[in-house]
Amino acid sequence: MSPDSVTGQLIDVHNRKVYPCTVQIENGTISALKPLEVAPERYILPGFVDAHIHIESSMLTPYEFARKALVHGTVATVSDPHEIANVCGMAGVEYMIENARSALLKFHFGAPSCVPATQFETAGAVLGVTETERLLRRSEIGYLSEMMNYPGVLSGDEEVMAKIALAKKMGKPVDGHAPGLMGEAAGKYVAAGISTDHECFTKEEALNKLKYGMKILIREGSAARNFEALHELISEFPSMVMLCSDDKHPDELVHGHINLLAKRALQKGHHLFDVLQCACVNPVNHYNLNVGLLRKGDPADFVVVDDLENMHVVETWINGRCVNRNGNCVLREKEHIIINNFHSHSKYPSDFTVPAKGKKIRVINAVEGQLVTQLSETEATLKDGYAVADPQNNLLKIAVVNRYMQASPAVAFISNFKIQQGAIASTVAHDSHNIIAVGSDDESICRAVNLLMANKGGLSAVDHKGELVVPLPIAGLMSDKSCDEVGRIYSEIDQKVKSMGSNLNAPFMTLSFMALLVIPTIKLSDKGLFDGTAFSFTDLWVN
């Protein structure tokens, strides 16, 4: 590779100073940093790193994700392939690794620790201790992904502890996932070897975990938005904080990524060097990423922005190559291999009926901007011996349909989606990715579900005006199209759902977490209504 150079105002995060400089590049590495008297008013800084993301939740392949994220200055991600692993097992993890090879962006994948996430749902695969060891021994696998089974950690579950022990033996970090865990229980969780948590939704919880030495990832995704609650930690604990999206929908990725979080942090008054410490440096150091940090001898991975207020990226460099200039990514369109695991068949409206067994029902209350839900009890609306949805009183039906085999749907009730007529459905349904649907009546729910059956996965919305579907042929999670194309059709279906009455910011993203059993308080799996606090099934009907 021939020598190259970039000139501007160097943001030296390590020595906390800014100075005119030429960055000289040779053979993909920084060969010299040459101070100057003057330089153009553009700023050279380390590239942004998403410290925890499920690429699948962008509905894009790694390659297509990179085509857009590189434009926003993301040079690396810490990517958990947990979603596709729950659908396709080892073949799914292999798919992500192979698809990412030509993407230029430095994807760092983890070994999924919880496949299936719990014993209370049907997933498409099982990754036990043997499979986890095989993954951890691979050079492409840099860490053990989020250990969501925190009850298993606290109880010393044999398989859970064996997976953690393998990661520790190989010197690879272990990611955490313990929403609401505090006090001695949090201390025990950290002492087991868990090093991070991205699930804190209050500062009190984050401070408690920091006390035990756990690093806190401030998450701002398309559904869970914790930045406002936690951003003060950037100034208070700059060496212990990272920034992540966790789940990023394509319509938002079009506009920005971690660069927008850095911009918000600066607008909040946080110091530039503290922000970049969290957004760029800490993930590289914690996960031992092969990513340069603007030092002599480092891989030439960095970005150039035209000002320090908007963090507008004009150039992205990786391994000494300019991969993005003024929004033009060097990656070109390509065809993607399709893999899937989908074996369910069409349903009937009668499959979604709920025979009356009492007067009061337990209801899932969705919470805007959070993965947690609340539990309420209300009088059931009864009609002809069945409990039915009551849209006028903020009560809809929710159903989870097993996608891996023929089985009867699990049906319950939910509030705060506020769809007045029609239904939505999705095969992006953490963690097992069965079909999840919410709607105003059995016929609409059945129609939305069957659209996804016909497409072997995706998102759907139906009402009396018509129907829309976003096909996701790759594992029912990802499209084989570009971010711009997927973002456009996703925006259309999002607007349709809002025209149906929903006032949620991201109704499909919120829907995707209503089957996530490891997040309290109450969720629905394909096997039934689940109490996330007691970690056991509960009855729909209140005795």
Side-chain angles (χ1 to χ4, degrees), residues 423-458:
I424 64 175
S426 174
T427 51
V428 180
H430 307 284
D431 275 316
S432 294
H433 301 290
N434 289 297
I435 302 173
I436 189 166
V438 165
S440 64
D441 59 273
D442 299 338
E443 291 75 15
S444 294
I445 291 172
C446 185
R447 187 173 152 211
V449 167
N450 286 344
L451 263 178
L452 300 188
M453 296 285 191
N455 284 275
K456 301 298 183 185

Side-chain angles (χ1 to χ4, degrees), residues 258-312:
I258 301 300
N259 61 318
L260 295 185
L261 273 184
K263 174 184 174 180
R264 283 180 64 184
L266 292 171
Q267 290 174 338
K268 292 287 188 182
H270 297 291
H271 198 284
L272 172 66
F273 294 118
D274 290 338
V275 173
L276 296 184
Q277 179 81 26
C278 298
C280 310
V281 177
N282 290 343
V284 173
N285 291 336
H286 180 76
Y287 292 100
N288 302 309
L289 307 184
N290 181 29
V291 175
L293 292 174
L294 273 180
R295 298 168 297 197
K296 182 179 178 181
D298 276 3
D301 306 325
F302 57 86
V303 301
V304 180
V305 301
D306 53 14
D307 69 77
L308 293 176
E309 291 183 2
N310 295 309
M311 284 292 164
H312 176 249

Side-chain angles (χ1 to χ4, degrees), residues 186-324:
K188 185 175 181 179
Y189 185 68
V190 176
I194 315 295
S195 63
T196 68
D197 190 275
H198 60 274
E199 292 290 346
C200 295
F201 49 89
T202 67
K203 186 178 179 182
E204 179 188 14
E205 179 186 350
L207 290 173
N208 185 259
K209 288 173 176 171
L210 281 163
K211 180 178 70 174
Y212 293 108
M214 178 172 270
K215 293 180 180 176
I216 301 300
L217 279 58
I218 298 178
R219 172 179 58 191
E220 188 75 359
S222 294
R225 301 178 183 271
N226 308 128
F227 181 85
E228 287 298 324
L230 303 179
H231 74 84
E232 292 174 355
L233 301 175
I234 293 172
S235 295
E236 296 171 3
F237 300 91
S239 65
M240 296 292 288
V241 170
M242 296 175 248
L243 306 182
C244 76
S245 63
D246 197 5
D247 299 287
K248 191 76 170 173
H249 267 184
D251 58 329
E252 292 192 357
L253 183 62
V254 166
H255 300 292
H257 192 201
I258 301 300
N259 61 318
L260 295 185
L261 273 184
K263 174 184 174 180
R264 283 180 64 184
L266 292 171
Q267 290 174 338
K268 292 287 188 182
H270 297 291
H271 198 284
L272 172 66
F273 294 118
D274 290 338
V275 173
L276 296 184
Q277 179 81 26
C278 298
C280 310
V281 177
N282 290 343
V284 173
N285 291 336
H286 180 76
Y287 292 100
N288 302 309
L289 307 184
N290 181 29
V291 175
L293 292 174
L294 273 180
R295 298 168 297 197
K296 182 179 178 181
D298 276 3
D301 306 325
F302 57 86
V303 301
V304 180
V305 301
D306 53 14
D307 69 77
L308 293 176
E309 291 183 2
N310 295 309
M311 284 292 164
H312 176 249
V313 177
V314 294
E315 291 180 12
T316 307
W317 291 72
I318 293 182
N319 288 336
R321 179 183 180 185
C322 185
V323 297
N324 157 61

Side-chain angles (χ1 to χ4, degrees), residues 161-176:
M161 301 313 290
K163 291 177 179 179
I164 294 173
L166 281 170
K168 291 166 71 174
K169 180 181 178 181
M170 298 181 196
K172 297 186 176 183
V174 181
D175 265 3

